[in-house]
Each structure stands twice: as structure tokens, then as C-alpha cells.
Amino acid sequence: MLSRRHLFHTAAGVAASAMLAGAVTGARAAGTSAGQAALSPSSRLFDGDGLVRPLPDKPTVSDLARGLDRTLVLGGGGEYYVAWYCGFFHGLLEQGVDPSIAEMVVGTSAGSYAGASLLSGRFWQLRSEFDFFSHFPALFAKLAPVSAPNASQQRAREINFAARDGSPETIRAIGHASLAAANHLDGDGVSRLAWLLTGASRTDWPVEKMFTTANDCYTGERLVVHQAVARKSAIPLAHAAAASSSLPGVMGPTQLGQRFCMDGGISRSWAHTDLVAGSKRAIVITLTNGYEGSLLSGIPHNIYNEISALEATGTKAMLIIAGTPPDVNLLDPKQIAPALKAGYDRSKIEAPKIKNFWA
């Protein structure tokens, strides 16, 4: 997949930007007519599932985190970042730091895989699998066929990377392109992949403190899945992790209840730190340079502003920016081995800080 810095220097990137701008302008011009009419049935028919949690416009204490002490936020970034988490958590556990003591874990995309396996007691399964795939990346490529996109997939990818803001109209435009993509790995296949890797339940949501994020492809609304709403809509943990990682034009969309959903990272809040606002202490881990998104979308994002908003609610925050080498392909299985090492090496630096922060 083209990186953002490559995309905007190609004719395809320019065309995608124009396409997205036209779609968003048209949606805004429609105003309360066609656009609102299309969304009206969703409000009437779907709001009862409890999945929608709008992003607050100002620092707001989350009712999910009020009164909690330690919370953990895990951002996303393709198989590179799943592997990075495997190395990072492995190193932390070796040094006597157990991230699963967090009372609330919010996982987005790759972070949902890492969090689900960690809290399900299956982390070493995930770690062993990624160690295996680091030696045989071609096998992982067969398990998760996300390369060689067709035209409909490429359209969704280019529209996603052409995004210049995180407005509802932009997210809906990306979501509609995601719905129109003929992916090699869809729905149940994505869920099966999540289950094979994480060992998370395919029938229940057994871990109360695990939360995952996604986006409704049709409405562009931010969705948050946790035990109460998951059981209400019969959403198992492995399936929610799959929906959270359904990157437009790569795999999915994946259903949550009756909603077709895409990656939780397609948002103006990459880390979704607002969900832990009001907890005493929060560790936030993101794959970003600090000023842009996850490098898996063109939506801009300043993590420092998000941390400032979090701390304005009284939460003491520790930010860990994982980062990636320049121009790394986050979806290339050959990156698994260096990502494992990068995460493990980073744990040596962060473990003493985390131990002190959570003491």
C-alpha cells in the first residue's frame, strides 16, 4: 500500500483528493436534505444498540472511566504494530511489568488485537505466532491476503489517504468507498483471522475491562464496543477486534450487530483517549510522529492536543510514541521481524518509567 507521503506526490493521490473533496462538498451542499434524509433511518433504527459514542468537542470526563485508577490506550498500525506490541509486552513482562493490571484497556485496530489477547490470557499465543511468522512471512501473507489490491480496493485506499480532515462527511465518504470495495478478506474471514491470532472468544465478551473502537461505514459514527453492549448485540470479542482492524480497501467491512464497520483508526481521534478521560492515570501508546494519524489514513491528528485534553479532565497521562522507520510498509509481513525487535528494545527504556508511573 502506498504511504501517505508517496500518495500525495502521485497523480492518483491528486485525483483521489479531488474525488474526496467533491464528495464531501456535495454532502455538505445537500445539508439537511438528501444527506440528512439518508441518515434519519439510522438514528431511528440503530441507536438502541448503544454502540455509538460521539467524540466530545471539549475535555469531558468519560462515564466509562470515572473512578478508575490505571487505564491503557493502544493505538493501531497494521501487522507491523501487532508485532511491535508483541515485542513490547514481552519485554515488559520479562521486567516484571504486567500491562494487564490496567482496569480499562481501549484498543484500536492493531491495539484491539494486542489488548484482546493480553486480557484473554492468550498473549503468549499471539507472541509465538508472530515469532513464527517473522521467519515465514510468506505464510502470513497467505493467511491475510491484503496485497495486490483490485480497482475497487485501490479506490477506497486512495480516498482514505486523500482525507484532509476528520469531519463526519469525510469519514462517511471513506466508509462508503469501503462498502463498495470487493476485498479478498471480508467479514467472517476477518473475524476468523482475529480469532486465530489473538485466541479471543468467538462466542462471548468475557473480559469486562476490554473496549474496542470502530466506525459505522454508512453513518461515519464512532462506535465503542464493551461487554454490556456486546452481549446485547451478540458481538464476540474476536469479532469486535476484526471490525476495529477492517482497514478500507484492505479488508472488511465487518459487521457489529447490524452495522457494517471499518477500522477504528479512521477518525479525528486516532487514540480515542477521551474514553479513559477522568481515570487517575492513563498510558497511551500510539504509532505516529505525534502530529499526524496512524500512517494508515490521511486524516490529520495531533496526539499532543489529545493528551492535553485528557489531562484537562484530571487524568495524569504517560504518552509512548512508538514511531516507525521512514517509509515502512505497515502491511508488509516482512516487517514483522524488525517490528518485534523494535518493540522489545523499546520495552527496556519504558519498563522502569511505566513501573514508576503505575506504582
Side-chain angles (χ1 to χ4, degrees):
M1 186 173 70
L2 292 173
S3 72
R4 180 186 324 156
R5 47 178 79 89
H6 285 162
L7 181 61
F8 284 118
H9 287 85
T10 64
V14 173
S17 296
M19 187 189 308
L20 179 60
V24 171
T25 300
R28 287 174 176 161
T32 58
S33 56
Q36 291 302 315
L39 295 176
S40 181
S42 294
S43 299
R44 177 169 50 85
L45 297 172
F46 288 81
D47 281 358
D49 61 15
L51 291 170
V52 174
R53 280 193 171 256
L55 283 163
D57 293 323
K58 60 182 180 180
T60 305
V61 172
S62 167
D63 63 309
L64 300 173
R66 185 182 288 111
L68 298 183
D69 185 354
R70 304 178 184 92
T71 57
L72 179 63
V73 178
L74 307 174
E79 52 243 44
Y80 178 96
Y81 207 22
V82 178
W84 190 96
Y85 276 129
C86 286
F88 186 70
F89 288 158
H90 179 185
L92 292 186
L93 291 166
E94 274 192 345
Q95 297 172 79
V97 178
D98 184 0
S100 70
I101 67 172
E103 297 163 68
M104 177 180 180
V105 177
V106 176
T108 295
S109 197
S112 71
Y113 275 53
S117 67
L118 187 70
L119 297 184
S120 297
R122 306 298 288 270
F123 169 71
W124 292 111
Q125 171 186 324
L126 182 67
R127 175 66 179 84
S128 297
E129 288 168 340
F130 269 78
D131 184 55
F132 173 82
F133 288 127
S134 71
H135 298 288
F136 304 99
L139 293 180
F140 189 88
K142 291 182 178 180
L143 182 66
V146 298
S147 60
N150 57 42
S152 65
Q153 288 179 294
Q154 189 61 26
R155 176 177 60 190
R157 294 185 186 194
E158 291 183 6
I159 289 175
N160 177 28
F161 273 88
R164 300 300 184 113
D165 61 65
S167 68
E169 295 91 348
T170 293
I171 294 175
R172 282 196 292 273
I174 297 170
H176 294 174
S178 180
L179 285 170
N183 298 301
H184 302 297
L185 189 63
D186 271 311
D188 289 341
V190 185
S191 182
R192 182 173 180 272
L193 175 64
W195 167 68
L196 286 172
L197 293 175
T198 68
S201 177
R202 298 182 83 182
T203 59
D204 192 20
W205 196 284
V207 187
E208 184 178 5
K209 60 185 179 180
M210 183 67 206
F211 295 71
T212 65
T213 67
N215 291 281
D216 186 314
C217 289
Y218 184 76
T219 67
E221 294 169 303
R222 195 264 298 266
L223 309 178
V224 179
V225 194
H226 53 93
Q227 191 181 74
V229 297
R231 288 179 171 173
K232 181 179 180 180
S233 296
I235 300 170
L237 180 53
H239 200 70
S244 185
S245 60
S246 290
L247 189 64
V250 176
M251 57 185 181
T254 301
Q255 276 186 272
L256 293 178
Q258 293 297 305
R259 300 174 185 267
F260 279 94
C261 303
M262 61 181 174
D263 198 298
I266 311 302
S267 170
R268 62 182 173 88
S269 173
W270 170 243
H272 301 281
T273 54
D274 65 286
L275 298 175
V276 301
S279 61
K280 184 178 178 181
R281 295 172 286 184
I283 293 176
V284 179
I285 309 177
T286 64
L287 183 67
T288 173
N289 60 14
Y291 298 98
E292 295 176 294
S294 66
L295 307 183
L296 289 177
S297 174
I299 298 175
H301 172 62
N302 187 318
I303 188 62
Y304 300 109
N305 289 343
E306 194 163 334
I307 293 298
S308 295
L310 177 61
E311 292 182 329
T313 67
T315 299
K316 183 179 180 182
M318 177 180 177
L319 174 63
I320 299 174
I321 295 179
T324 56
D327 297 318
V328 67
N329 184 343
L330 303 178
L331 300 176
D332 183 357
K334 294 179 181 178
Q335 298 296 331
I336 289 175
L340 283 168
K341 183 179 186 305
Y344 186 81
D345 290 347
R346 185 64 177 274
S347 72
K348 304 297 183 182
I349 299 172
E350 303 296 347
K353 299 177 183 178
I354 294 173
K355 187 179 294 186
N356 180 64
F357 184 77
W358 269 355

